[in-house]
Amino acid sequence: MKKLRVGCFCETWISGGIESFLYNMLLHMDLSNVEIDLITARLGESIFTSPMEEAGIHFYELSGSYKKFRKNYAMFRTLLQKRSYDVLHINTFYGLSAYYAVLAKRAGVPKIILHSHNTTLRKSAGRPLKMLLHGMSKRMFSYAATDFWACSGEAAKFLFPAQLLKNRGYRFIPNGIDIKKFCFNPDVRKQVRNRLGLDEYLVVGNVGRLCFQKNQMFLIEIFAELLKKNPKSRLLLVGEGEDSLKLRRQAQQYGITDSILFYGVSDAVEQLFWAMDVFVFPSVFEGL
């Protein structure tokens, strides 16, 4: 029996939300009759890569940069011809990625899924231009997909034109989580708090990419005020990202560096949740 060949695309592959979604979904599926390729413009370091490779998922990197559009499109066309996918699953957070659906349609891929994971773009000097490109791209390219998925109604509205949603609708795809993995374990909580030197502290925690969207800068402001009221507090930041250096400098400016633990990424994040007393997630925007 011929295996169903599926290509899963995302702009970059690191240890972020889309990567976590694909990891959770694919590794809980029966892949015995499915061949999965993970396609990305830039293949970075990720805690999800090795387990997925062990499960038989193949990784294909395009140019190595999501900014090299023409090279990425050319390499993607070549890959489509080489691999002849039955299904292409495009995971994206903005409209420009919908052009990959156009390329897939031209290549004759029968099932093309455009999956929205976001509700807006971060504030920046170039945001007005990016939003303009996003709006133009979603109106010009979304039609090429055969199926429309989103993690929320707001995410669907952000990526898919109103008329398209009215005529064809979308499928709500929950961000599946293995909840058994997160069932509280008091013994492990004690072990982790002891290992991190947090036994006697009120531990405030956050898990997410260190970036504008997740808003850890505001969290550090909050924590600085908390420390004035309760010096026996600690902030546990789990994740990595482009704002790492900026956040460390902010901690230095407030004079609270010794009270913040920059943990980095983890493949046992549930244990770090258990070690926290308070979880704070002050995102500026989310797909949900």
Side-chain angles (χ1 to χ4, degrees), residues 15-143:
S15 297
I18 293 178
E19 296 88 338
S20 177
F21 165 79
L22 289 170
Y23 170 85
N24 282 323
M25 287 295 181
L26 294 175
L27 266 62
H28 284 81
M29 290 172 57
D30 178 4
L31 301 180
S32 57
N33 293 315
V34 184
E35 187 176 350
I36 304 287
D37 289 351
L38 200 296
I39 310 160
T40 180
R42 183 175 71 87
L43 184 61
E45 292 186 11
S46 173
I47 59 175
F48 304 120
T49 304
S50 292
M52 293 177 74
E53 287 179 330
E54 291 171 4
I57 296 169
H58 304 285
F59 283 78
Y60 289 90
E61 183 180 44
L62 301 180
S63 72
S65 171
Y66 64 89
K67 296 180 180 180
K68 296 179 179 179
F69 300 109
R70 294 180 64 182
K71 188 172 183 179
N72 286 333
Y73 296 153
M75 295 181 73
F76 187 72
R77 283 193 291 265
T78 300
L79 185 64
L80 290 175
Q81 295 171 0
K82 175 183 177 182
R83 298 295 288 159
S84 300
Y85 294 112
D86 301 296
V87 180
L88 181 68
H89 179 204
I90 302 169
N91 296 270
T92 185
F93 56 90
Y94 74 130
L96 197 57
S97 291
Y99 187 64
Y100 287 97
V102 175
L103 297 177
K105 183 177 182 179
R106 291 174 180 171
V109 178
K111 176 76 73 172
I112 305 167
I113 303 164
L114 196 56
H115 192 161
S116 178
H117 292 270
N118 206 5
T119 56
T120 190
L121 300 179
R122 69 181 180 88
K123 292 181 180 179
S124 67
R127 186 176 188 272
L129 177 59
K130 290 178 180 178
M131 288 298 292
L132 177 63
L133 287 172
H134 164 76
M136 293 173 58
S137 298
K138 76 176 189 179
R139 289 190 294 271
M140 293 171 61
F141 305 143
S142 295
Y143 77 92

Side-chain angles (χ1 to χ4, degrees), residues 163-177:
Q163 192 61 43
L164 186 149
L165 284 175
K166 181 179 179 181
N167 294 338
R168 298 169 63 180
Y170 77 97
R171 174 172 289 185
F172 167 57
I173 304 295
N175 289 344
I177 297 171

